[in-house]
Amino acid sequence: MSHPLFDQHRPLLDQALQAIATRGYWAAFSENPSPKAYGEDAAEAGRAAFQAHLGKPFEIEQPGQSGWHVGEKSPYGLALDIQYPVCDPQALVQAAQQAMPAWQALGAEGRTGVCLEMLQRLNQHSFEIAHAVMMTSGQGWMMAFQAGGPHAQERGLEAVAYAWREMSFIPASSHWEKPQGKHPALVMEKHFEVVGRGVAVVIGCATFPTWNTYPGLFAALATGNPVILKPHSQVVLPAALTVRILRGVLAEQGLDPNLVTLCLPPSHAAAQSLYTHPDVHSIDYTGSNTFGHWLQNNCRQAQVYAELAGVNSIVIDSTDDYKGMLRNLAFTLSLYSGQMCTTSQALVVPAQGIDTNDGHKTYEQVCGDLAQAVDQFLAKPEVAHAVLGAIQSDDTLSRTERAAAGEMGRVILAPRTLHNPDFPQARVRTPALIACDAEHAEHFSQEQFGPISFVVRASDTPAALTLVEGLTRRHGALTLGLYSTRQATVDAAIHLSWRAKVALSINLTGGVFVNQSAAYSDFHGTGGNPAANASYADSAFVSNRFRVVQRRQHVAGAQS
């Protein structure tokens, strides 16, 4: 029997299924924070709801609470002073297991319907979540609304669509009849149950606390698994809001809300005990290589879906739109102060320079023109603050200061400190550009997270392609860019992207940027190089989160 929420949201699901099949543009949720899309009072209600959390305990009725987590700081300097429940991870695992049978009994249609309702409910809270994302991660307002709200919800819906598609391939039952020649046929009834693997842990990151979280969260839920969401200790509110909203939907449906819980462990040892718990069977993580490798090496009982650090590169060979290329790169390097896993770090230019529609440009001219383009793009304070946001972590700020001091190479554009009049304590820095030769790879060949990029001088274009292929194979990358008017060079880059298994963007000069990724159309990561072992989203991202358990028996009255 179909579930009411599945029937209610079936048109939305069908549209998502069509979108992932055709890979064209489609959006379920408006990225425009306008009254037309969200209602006349949505913006003010969302702001008020966010402000109501400040300075107060964030109550979630979860088992095993032993205290309160404090210390969350805003990159904008806003005093948050929110307290979050600290719970025993073992108690949360036990509660998750107790909630799992009813979730299992709901079936694939029921789980899919509830997940779709959850996404709709999250969308209704987009303004509140956007303020939470902005003030904890340091994103600018528009990015916080779009990436933290609708775009994250799209990625969650995408995961649900893949999960439903994979589960729907499994029939609930079959009538099996094998002819036996002159003898009576062998007749059996077979039943197939889609069963979640077990408790899922989703570890949130500091820079994209919803966009990087919702794919794993909803892939795990839809396939029958309870989820424990463990946020970054400095970026808790977006996760806490998400958990509260999802728990509310579960309670409305008569389901145990402990199917989804928020985990802020009381200690480092307690956190490790959660990740290595024998009943935790999947872990989603975005963040540093060090911790990601620890998860992969120590959590053998779980399938680990990890997005780690990488070195994203762009080869600049030639262009027929020099100014358009510079504008595109200026935005790419400035967006969210380079605090994106897709931001380009190594821009590789041939030593002899490049051919353009504005004439031949030497390597030094490319360096100077790019620095000027960044400065011009950020010349208006209102544009700069909207695009740059704020620096999320102390480590990123320190790294940027080292680059400014020339510790990573010759500075061709020094980062500047900007004053945000709306948030006087905000940590705002413009991008740093560093010039270096290909053989001096000690800095650009490792991820320098933040507003730091290198203009690398290679001997020629083939050497540049060889360099970025080596970087991608050794260190990983989520994005690769190319500017070239030569088809042979484009073909070489395409084949490079296949070998290194990295997404390639060619000659972007308009309103699409190499560090942006569209749900339903773009695969975020390939899972084929060291930067990530999974992709948002494909069938592999969901299919290993469930198992099919069959039962069979002879049909009564049939001869065996």
Side-chain angles (χ1 to χ4, degrees), residues 302-321:
Q303 174 71 37
V304 178
Y305 300 88
E307 181 185 308
L308 308 176
V311 178
N312 303 310
S313 305
I314 296 178
V315 173
I316 304 176
D317 167 74
S318 53
T319 180
D320 57 8
D321 185 0

Side-chain angles (χ1 to χ4, degrees), residues 259-316:
L259 190 77
V260 180
T261 55
L262 182 76
C263 183
L264 289 155
S267 67
H268 180 68
Q272 289 189 337
S273 73
L274 171 64
Y275 308 140
T276 58
H277 195 288
D279 293 317
V280 169
H281 289 286
S282 72
I283 299 173
D284 287 84
Y285 170 72
T286 299
S288 71
N289 286 338
T290 301
F291 184 50
H293 291 155
W294 183 91
L295 291 170
Q296 291 172 324
N297 292 332
N298 291 274
C299 303
R300 299 293 187 179
Q301 87 292 349
Q303 174 71 37
V304 178
Y305 300 88
E307 181 185 308
L308 308 176
V311 178
N312 303 310
S313 305
I314 296 178
V315 173
I316 304 176

Side-chain angles (χ1 to χ4, degrees), residues 41-79:
D41 300 326
E44 185 52 42
R47 181 192 299 273
F50 163 74
Q51 292 176 337
H53 297 300
L54 302 181
K56 298 177 183 177
F58 195 101
E59 300 279 359
I60 305 178
E61 304 248 342
Q62 297 185 159
Q65 182 173 350
S66 60
W68 295 93
H69 172 87
V70 295
E72 188 180 32
K73 296 179 180 178
S74 171
Y76 284 98
L78 180 71

